[in-house]
Amino acid sequence: MKKKVAVIGAGFSGLSAAAYLGRAGYDVHVFEKHGQPGGRARQFSTPEGFKFDMGPSWYWMPDIIESFFSDFGYNSADFFDLVSLNPQFEMIFSSGKISVPESYEELKRLFESIEAGAGAQLEKFMHAAKFKYEVGMRDFVNKPCHSWLEFISPKIARSAFKLDLLSSFRSYVAKYFTDERLRTLMEFPVIFLGASPKDIPALYSLMNYGGYVLGTHYPKGGFYQLVLAMQQVAEAQGVTFHFNHNVDAINIENKKIRSLRINGENQEFDLVVASADYHHIEMQLPEKFRNYDTAYWKGRTFAPSSLIYYLGLKSSIANLTHHTLFFEHPLDDHIDCIYADKKWPENPLFYACCPSKSDRDVAPVGQENLFLLMPLATGVSDDEETREEYLIHMLERLEKQTGAKNLYQQILYKRSYCVSDFVQDYNAYGGNAYGLANTLKQTAVLKPKIRNKSVQNLFYTGQLTVPGPGVPPSIISGKIVAKEAIELYHKLLDHEETI
């Protein structure tokens, strides 16, 4: 009889784990509290004709995502049309803007035009970043991270110095570039990792390569097309999805999960993979079965939460690209509000995504789909009045940059999403949006473990464990956990046969 597996949560890590476990021959059931897959990457449509991706919008590291499909004999092109954006994005400064071109050769020329010698420096930077990308994303991040011994291999040992694990990202960038705009442009990608550039290892310059060199892409129909594609791959492996199914309790006997109470009914399983919030799952367990106590979680550095607005506008906005970053104020001032002061920022930085510039299916003709995101400290109060104040502030800055008039009056549809919504919808610790920050003290073996130390058949996957936050890492996390679970059962079967 097939081993019966429950995957809690249908985010990217859950979809990935389910697909790999299904391919291995397990009877896999995915339980998702919402009515659709995707987790933070859900999508919704409005009566006005707008279609909004709720979360991820940067399609970077396409080769890592492509490797998921190739593992199952597919290409992403079998499911959606992936287009390369040109420009990749624009970054707005108080002194003007930088438009990042699709072509890497053009990017080098752009850097040179801003700072003499910066084109050659960018080439050196990306040469090193490519090495980190190839080692980091193919060797380093694919470890289950039970022990540092996993990293003792000739290849990783030879690469250790070049990986720059002990250097801060900020000081590393400063070795290459003097112009503050170029430094900010290079530092920006690690914000996705949930910490200040001064606290992120220089290893993560690999993100610059995975973005700026490999390009910024967009799946026609929205980022949600990736979710739907992964669901189809999983279903082709025999995986069954159960939507609007909430896991109410985890029932443990003899240090094993015997059953889950789902929508009030107990169902038995041989193995459970938790793709839901790690802390939330731990709190459902008796204290003696938890990997970590409350003090542990309070001592972690979490990635930011976000204030998000989904806006449908009655007319298009000229002079706005698909991705635009508004960085007219100092980066560190905003970062300090997130990590040190834990308050709403006085001079916020924010991000605007306008997918209707690349895809007319996400908004009615002549209208605009606008997604605004402002990084925010976890745990802050987020009443509607405060949210609205920041919406008006962001729209005023957008008007100043684009020349648009009266954007607030152009709104046909409006929905906000903030700290309390992340808690309500995803049981996210502190309302975080991106998981644990990838600081040096929270990297690799120092992240929460993927296997429960006391409950034999419980595993964890997703952005709070290895390898970390982001779509490609979450997909990798699911693969790592599936491999570990399969190996566990092979060991148990071998043990039973020798008794």
Side-chain angles (χ1 to χ4, degrees), residues 80 276 446:
F80 52 80
L446 302 178

Side-chain angles (χ1 to χ4, degrees), residues 445-459:
V445 175
L446 302 178
K447 285 188 180 294
K449 300 299 184 185
I450 64 172
R451 184 176 175 185
N452 189 284
K453 301 169 186 175
S454 304
V455 183
Q456 296 178 19
N457 56 346
L458 174 58
F459 289 80

Side-chain angles (χ1 to χ4, degrees), residues 180-284:
E180 284 298 324
R181 292 167 298 171
L182 294 184
R183 288 185 181 184
T184 300
L185 188 66
M186 300 306 285
E187 289 181 353
F188 143 70
V190 302
I191 295 175
F192 288 131
L193 301 176
S196 167
K198 68 178 183 293
D199 297 321
I200 293 285
L203 164 70
Y204 292 104
S205 62
L206 62 85
M207 291 190 66
N208 298 91
Y209 178 82
Y212 298 177
V213 178
L214 298 185
T216 303
H217 300 78
Y218 172 77
K220 282 296 185 72
F223 210 97
Y224 194 61
Q225 296 305 310
L226 176 58
V227 173
L228 296 178
M230 291 182 68
Q231 179 188 1
Q232 290 180 60
V233 170
E235 288 175 334
Q237 314 310 309
V239 175
T240 303
F241 286 84
H242 307 268
F243 300 111
N244 298 307
H245 278 65
N246 190 59
V247 176
D248 306 314
I250 299 172
N251 304 311
I252 300 172
E253 295 178 15
N254 299 322
K255 296 186 177 181
K256 282 188 176 181
I257 294 177
R258 292 301 179 190
S259 66
L260 301 176
R261 188 171 74 235
I262 303 168
N263 287 1
E265 177 185 344
N266 283 339
Q267 297 188 39
E268 294 187 354
F269 295 95
D270 299 294
L271 171 71
V272 175
V273 174
S275 175
D277 181 88
Y278 198 125
H279 168 266
H280 173 71
I281 293 296
E282 289 264 288
M283 293 303 104
Q284 310 311 305

Side-chain angles (χ1 to χ4, degrees), residues 269-478:
F269 295 95
D270 299 294
L271 171 71
V272 175
V273 174
S275 175
D277 181 88
Y278 198 125
H279 168 266
H280 173 71
I281 293 296
E282 289 264 288
M283 293 303 104
Q284 310 311 305
L285 304 176
E287 192 169 344
K288 64 181 180 180
F289 292 130
R290 296 173 188 170
N291 277 354
Y292 307 100
D293 59 16
T294 302
Y296 171 86
W297 292 107
K298 286 183 178 179
R300 299 304 93 190
T301 300
F302 277 83
S305 186
S306 296
L307 168 63
I308 300 172
Y309 266 95
Y310 310 100
L311 303 174
L313 304 179
K314 66 174 67 174
S315 60
S316 62
I317 305 174
N319 305 314
L320 185 66
T321 59
H322 190 121
H323 296 300
T324 308
L325 297 151
F326 287 77
F327 276 53
E328 306 102 308
H329 303 294
L331 173 61
D332 283 349
D333 288 355
H334 191 133
I335 286 176
D336 287 344
C337 290
I338 294 173
Y339 295 107
D341 303 327
K342 293 282 186 178
K343 66 178 185 179
W344 287 80
E346 294 180 13
N347 295 304
L349 311 180
F350 71 96
Y351 158 60
C353 178
C354 192
S356 45
K357 295 298 183 185
S358 306
D359 187 354
R360 292 317 314 177
D361 289 338
V362 300
V365 175
Q367 298 180 2
E368 210 79 281
N369 177 316
L370 185 62
F371 169 103
L372 300 178
L373 182 149
M374 187 183 81
L376 189 63
T378 57
V380 298
S381 175
D382 63 342
D383 58 88
E384 286 297 333
E385 182 179 356
T386 302
R387 298 185 191 193
E388 191 78 359
E389 289 176 6
Y390 279 87
L391 169 62
I392 293 170
H393 176 85
M394 289 187 285
L395 289 178
E396 287 175 348
R397 283 166 62 184
L398 211 157
E399 289 173 350
K400 180 180 179 181
Q401 173 60 31
T402 64
K405 304 293 184 183
N406 303 316
L407 286 179
Y408 194 89
Q409 284 70 43
Q410 296 288 322
I411 296 174
L412 292 174
Y413 176 85
K414 177 177 68 173
R415 176 182 177 184
S416 67
Y417 202 92
C418 202
V419 178
S420 57
D421 299 296
F422 282 101
V423 174
Q424 175 66 33
D425 283 356
Y426 310 121
N427 301 302
Y429 187 88
N432 80 85
Y434 307 106
L436 280 177
N438 264 359
T439 61
L440 186 58
K441 294 180 180 179
Q442 295 180 169
T443 294
V445 175
L446 302 178
K447 285 188 180 294
K449 300 299 184 185
I450 64 172
R451 184 176 175 185
N452 189 284
K453 301 169 186 175
S454 304
V455 183
Q456 296 178 19
N457 56 346
L458 174 58
F459 289 80
Y460 306 87
T461 187
Q463 60 184 8
L464 289 181
T465 184
V466 294
V471 174
S474 291
I475 294 172
I476 291 170
S477 181

Side-chain angles (χ1 to χ4, degrees), residues 132-149:
K132 293 170 190 169
Y133 187 86
E134 291 175 345
V135 174
M137 297 307 294
R138 289 173 174 79
D139 298 307
F140 196 80
V141 303
N142 284 291
K143 306 293 184 184
C145 295
H146 300 307
S147 165
W148 289 113
L149 295 175

